[in-house]
């Protein structure tokens, strides 16, 4: 049996990851990065650090609770850093880490794709909904309630 270096062992472990398996840790990461708020935060930070209030202003519709939870989760995952500058008031900036920056091209592409194809998706949804409505059974006498 040949001995393997630590780097070879890590490479073999990475190759063993399979997000289709329920126990795979990569599945949890996919869950995190597929969140809409994560996508919007990462894209908002593409041009450099931002303060919390700037992120809150840029990302319309996000609650303070969701923005705070999202920022904490991204910091925990190593995708962004939180820098506190002591001042009055305290200044807090959020910035992508190199790891977060490596995810940015994918997230930016998904955002751009959604913005480019939303009309097609909306049309497909309306067509589908019309088709589903046409397949619904027409109420017959057995489904109607008798008049009082």
């Amino acid at each position: 049996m040949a001995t393997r270096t630590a780097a070879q062992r890590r490479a073999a472990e990475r190759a063993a990851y399979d997000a289709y398996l329920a126990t795979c840790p990569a599945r949890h990461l996919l869950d995190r990065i597929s969140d809409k708020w994560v996508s919007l935060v990462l894209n908002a930070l593409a041009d450099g650090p931002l303060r919390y209030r700037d992120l809150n202003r840029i990302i319309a519709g996000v609650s303070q609770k969701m923005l705070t939870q999202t920022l904490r989760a991204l910091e925990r995952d190593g995708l962004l850093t939180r820098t506190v500058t002591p001042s009055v008031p305290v200044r807090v900036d959020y910035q992508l880490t190199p790891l977060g920056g490596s995810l940015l091209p994918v997230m930016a592409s998904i955002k751009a794709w959604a913005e480019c194809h939303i009309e097609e998706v909306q049309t497909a949804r309306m067509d589908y909904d019309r088709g589903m409505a046409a397949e619904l059974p027409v109420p017959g006498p057995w489904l109607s309630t008798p008049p009082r």
Side-chain angles (χ1 to χ4, degrees), residues 60-71:
V62 66
S63 68
Q64 288 184 353
K65 177 183 175 184
M66 283 310 303
L67 182 55
T68 299
Q69 286 178 352
T70 300
L71 291 168

Side-chain angles (χ1 to χ4, degrees), residues 72-123:
R72 284 182 183 159
L74 290 172
E75 184 179 12
R76 180 174 183 251
D77 289 344
L79 300 177
L80 62 79
T81 58
R82 178 180 183 265
T83 305
V84 179
T85 305
S87 61
V88 178
V90 173
R91 181 184 174 102
V92 180
D93 291 292
Y94 296 91
Q95 182 173 8
L96 293 177
T97 63
L99 182 61
S102 71
L103 181 58
L104 192 57
V106 175
M107 301 307 272
S109 293
I110 291 170
K111 177 181 172 282
W113 183 91
E115 292 168 345
C116 181
H117 295 283
I118 186 58
E119 290 180 8
E120 294 167 77
V121 171
Q122 288 174 330
T123 299

Side-chain angles (χ1 to χ4, degrees), residues 17-86:
Y17 291 147
D18 183 351
Y20 288 115
L21 300 174
T23 58
C24 181
R27 183 179 279 200
H28 299 289
L29 183 57
L30 285 172
D31 186 43
R32 168 88 67 231
I33 63 176
S34 66
D35 179 81
K36 71 178 173 185
W37 301 122
V38 167
S39 173
L40 294 171
V41 166
L42 292 175
N43 279 294
L45 292 171
D47 294 329
L50 291 172
R51 295 175 78 175
Y52 182 93
R53 66 178 162 87
D54 296 326
L55 285 166
N56 199 29
R57 180 182 44 80
I58 292 168
I59 305 171
V62 66
S63 68
Q64 288 184 353
K65 177 183 175 184
M66 283 310 303
L67 182 55
T68 299
Q69 286 178 352
T70 300
L71 291 168
R72 284 182 183 159
L74 290 172
E75 184 179 12
R76 180 174 183 251
D77 289 344
L79 300 177
L80 62 79
T81 58
R82 178 180 183 265
T83 305
V84 179
T85 305

